[in-house]
Amino acid sequence: MEELVIRDAEVVDGSGGPSYRADVVVDGGRIVSILQEAAAAGCQRPEARRELDAQGLVLSPGFIDMHAHSDLALLRDPDHSAKAAQGVTLEVIGQDGLSYAPVDERTLAQVRRAITGWNGSGDDIDFDWRTVGEYLDRLDRGFEGRGIAVNAAYLIPQGTVRALAVGWEDREATPDELDRMRQLVAEGMEQGAVGMSSGLTYTPGMYAEDAELTELCRVVASYGGYYCPHHRSYGAGALEAYEEMVALTREAGCSLHLAHATMNFGVNRGRAPELLALLDKALTEGADISLDTYPYTPGCTTLVAMLPSWASEGGPEAILARLSDEETAERIRHHMEVIGADGCHGVPIEWDTIEISGVSDPALGEFVGRTVQQSADARGEAPWVTARRLLLADRLGSTILQHVGHEENVREIMRHRVHTGGSDGILQGTKPHPRAYGTFPQYLGRYVRELGILSLEECVAHLTSRPAARLGLQDRGLVREGHRADLVLFDPRTVAAGSTFEEPRKLPTGIPYVLVDGRFVIEDGRRTDVLAGRAVRRTTR
């Protein structure tokens, strides 16, 4: 007798094809049989130790979050309902060129400081790894040796690699340093990474010229991985930045996945068709490209990321020193407010679009939920004075929402045939972006049921089989016999994101069951104590 039979489910199998009603049998963490309703007539229905009546529910593959920032959250939070309750069964971490492997003692300390706003200080984590393989092993052990809430795949962070081999200086890598970076990327791929990420508006990754990135992408390509850049501009130079990444990866022979592929700021209103035309041309010419987006208009990052790159050279302590110097701080202000800093995508910053979403120091909580402009007005001072005060007092640990997106661009891009879903969910802060808790039900509830931007079958394919194909996972992303039983059961009539900008940690509705490796992590709408997630390593070349 098998372990579980899910009866009378409306199966949306992830292929994009029509749904069908079936009994789905799970055993040993895999789908062992699918008996469609038409074939079941006159046949004995499968039996199992447990039966789940799924009438009225859609059964789909588990959702794959192609852009997640749960690098430490998976280790510190065994519940992790932020993702599990959405139906996410696999997250791709190591994003935007900065994460915690590969490192040495010096680089680890620097990276922890640099991305405190993304992942917290990490003071509650035992950093008992240094290599990519050791970090993946740590994910396998998970919380108290019992695993993690959902599965995780890892991208080698190019900025961390550069910090380890070169440092945080704005200069060209020497031949020996470039060889060292190639070696680090090769080792990470051999140890199970699925590709490499970059944060080309973040230090020190932004200091790499295209020739350097191309050489690293050649290594990634040799292992069958993909390159996932947060490219050099989502604002004034957005289209040129997209073109740069397409050309670079084609030169390297490397697959390309464009992270949070948005067209933001006033200069890009209504310009999504230009981006899609650029991608269609490259795809027609043989390029291998995919992208991810979140179904919201504001972005989310750290306040320090808004600074010009020259002000960030040398790492966190150097930034604080520059901010503490009156003359240098005035140069930073002029660059941000008048010229347009590369950290703000070449657009002069508008302080009324920058909302503080979280602080590392609880004593600074008065800033959270307000724009920099609002806090400055309340203090009777210029917004730069307020921003600088916060950067220094919070030691660069503040996170922000940046209200610069356009709904028409969001809708156009999500329709594209190479689109996938990614939350870009930063879980830190008092008021995080609601996408961290709501991206996947937001797609299903708002953009499928309410607006009809995508059909249900098409949307599920965007969130399951397409990302699985990009990750090179041959037994995930589809409801198929022999595939991993990473599954979601949701009610298409009620599924919705509960999270809002006012209540960003409110859990979704209409997702009563989620299975990871055939085990219920969400049951009857509640989180179980199951920790079935593990590191997912790329094994094909």
Side-chain angles (χ1 to χ4, degrees):
M1 188 173 291
E2 310 293 356
E3 182 177 335
L4 169 69
V5 59
I6 303 170
R7 294 207 185 281
D8 295 317
E10 190 66 26
V11 177
V12 177
D13 67 5
S15 69
S19 66
Y20 56 88
R21 188 169 298 278
D23 293 349
V24 177
V25 182
V26 172
D27 193 45
R30 293 188 180 270
I31 300 166
V32 295
S33 66
I34 302 169
L35 187 63
Q36 293 193 36
E37 185 178 52
C43 298
Q44 183 176 353
R45 302 185 75 179
E47 295 183 357
R49 287 188 290 274
R50 176 173 178 183
E51 296 188 5
L52 175 62
D53 182 359
Q55 191 162 9
L57 299 178
V58 166
L59 173 67
S60 82
F63 306 136
I64 298 176
D65 188 343
M66 286 295 287
H67 193 103
H69 288 283
S70 303
D71 306 47
L72 299 185
L74 283 163
L75 298 176
R76 68 159 62 95
D77 178 16
D79 182 80
H80 202 47
S81 287
K83 296 302 177 68
Q86 292 187 61
V88 171
T89 58
L90 171 60
E91 299 183 89
V92 185
I93 55 179
Q95 299 284 351
D96 294 329
L98 288 168
S99 189
Y100 305 96
V103 291
D104 57 15
E105 292 294 328
R106 171 187 60 83
T107 305
L108 175 60
Q110 293 169 329
V111 169
R112 287 178 61 183
R113 284 288 310 280
I115 55 176
T116 293
W118 293 356
N119 298 308
S121 66
D123 291 342
D124 54 343
I125 300 291
D126 178 12
F127 288 88
D128 58 352
W129 67 84
R130 293 297 177 266
T131 69
V132 169
E134 289 168 350
Y135 176 62
L136 296 177
D137 290 343
R138 181 71 175 82
L139 289 172
D140 281 337
R141 296 197 306 276
F143 186 78
E144 298 180 347
R146 296 188 292 121
I148 50 181
V150 302
N151 297 308
Y154 190 70
L155 294 166
I156 302 163
Q158 171 259 329
T160 301
V161 167
R162 196 173 213 273
L164 182 55
V166 180
W168 296 72
E169 293 74 38
D170 183 3
R171 65 172 176 83
E172 185 177 347
T174 67
D176 285 347
E177 289 167 341
L178 182 56
D179 283 344
R180 176 65 174 142
M181 287 189 281
R182 288 194 194 97
Q183 178 186 2
L184 289 167
V185 172
E187 289 173 354
M189 294 301 297
E190 289 170 0
Q191 292 163 8
V194 295
M196 181 180 74
S197 74
S198 282
L200 300 180
T201 65
Y202 301 129
T203 57
M206 64 162 56
Y207 300 138
E209 298 294 335
D210 283 3
E212 177 181 315
L213 296 172
T214 300
E215 287 303 306
L216 299 183
C217 283
R218 292 188 200 280
V219 177
V220 173
S222 72
Y223 288 90
Y226 69 93
Y227 181 43
C228 179
H230 165 128
H231 51 268
R232 298 191 194 273
S233 176
Y234 291 83
L239 284 176
E240 293 80 5
Y242 283 113
E243 289 174 345
E244 176 191 10
M245 295 298 100
V246 170
L248 184 157
T249 49
R250 295 193 72 180
E251 172 68 20
C254 187
S255 301
L256 173 64
H257 181 83
L258 295 164
H260 37 58
T262 56
M263 293 287 287
N264 289 338
F265 302 91
V267 295
N268 289 317
R269 183 181 293 277
R271 298 188 70 189
E274 296 177 56
L275 166 62
L276 300 181
L278 184 162
L279 299 181
D280 284 337
K281 181 176 184 295
L283 288 163
T284 299
E285 293 170 351
D288 181 7
I289 302 173
S290 56
L291 59 88
D292 67 68
T293 70
Y294 46 84
Y296 299 88
T297 53
C300 178
T301 185
T302 56
L303 183 57
V304 67
M306 299 291 100
L307 302 183
S309 57
W310 61 263
S312 298
E313 183 180 1
E317 292 303 325
I319 298 171
L320 291 167
R322 292 187 183 101
L323 288 168
S324 298
D325 179 76
E326 294 295 334
E327 183 177 345
T328 308
E330 173 56 24
R331 285 181 58 213
I332 294 172
R333 182 206 65 79
H334 182 78
H335 211 116
M336 294 178 72
E337 295 185 347
V338 179
I339 298 173
D342 46 7
C344 194
H345 307 279
V347 178
I349 197 163
E350 297 174 332
W351 293 111
D352 59 353
T353 69
I354 306 297
E355 178 186 349
I356 304 302
S357 59
V359 290
S360 294
D361 183 351
L364 300 170
E366 66 183 277
F367 292 96
V368 175
R370 290 179 166 186
T371 67
V372 172
Q373 186 69 59
Q374 288 171 332
S375 290
D377 290 345
R379 289 171 170 269
E381 62 190 19
W384 167 245
V385 174
T386 301
R388 179 190 176 197
R389 181 197 311 277
L390 182 56
L391 285 163
L392 287 168
D394 208 26
R395 296 188 65 79
L396 314 181
S398 305
T399 53
I400 64 169
L401 302 181
Q402 194 171 16
H403 296 272
V404 293
H406 307 290
E407 179 67 17
E408 67 271 30
N409 286 346
V410 170
R411 296 185 188 188
E412 284 286 337
I413 293 169
M414 75 168 63
R415 290 188 181 104
H416 198 270
R417 65 187 185 279
V418 300
H419 170 266
T420 67
S423 70
D424 196 12
I426 294 175
L427 302 172
Q428 293 297 116
T430 306
K431 292 189 70 176
H433 196 303
R435 68 193 185 192
Y437 285 73
T439 286
F440 295 87
Q442 178 83 340
Y443 270 117
L444 296 168
R446 177 164 172 75
Y447 288 94
V448 172
R449 184 180 64 247
E450 295 177 8
L451 299 176
I453 301 299
L454 297 168
S455 71
L456 179 59
E457 290 84 357
E458 184 181 12
C459 184
V460 168
H462 287 222
L463 308 181
T464 60
S465 63
R466 286 188 193 173
R470 168 52 73 216
L471 295 169
L473 304 176
Q474 298 178 1
D475 62 351
R476 299 178 195 265
L478 292 166
V479 179
R480 291 282 191 275
E481 292 181 359
H483 275 53
R484 292 279 184 181
D486 293 347
L487 301 168
V488 182
L489 285 145
F490 62 89
D491 187 338
R493 301 160 298 183
T494 63
V495 62
S499 60
T500 64
F501 288 99
E502 291 72 31
E503 295 183 87
R505 287 193 169 88
K506 192 174 180 181
L507 296 179
T509 57
I511 306 179
Y513 300 99
V514 180
L515 293 86
V516 174
D517 202 35
R519 301 168 66 192
F520 286 95
V521 297
I522 300 291
E523 187 171 8
D524 295 323
R526 293 186 295 273
R527 180 72 173 94
T528 70
D529 62 358
V530 168
L531 294 172
R534 298 293 185 270
V536 174
R537 295 164 171 84
R538 188 178 184 102
T539 56
T540 57
R541 293 187 62 162

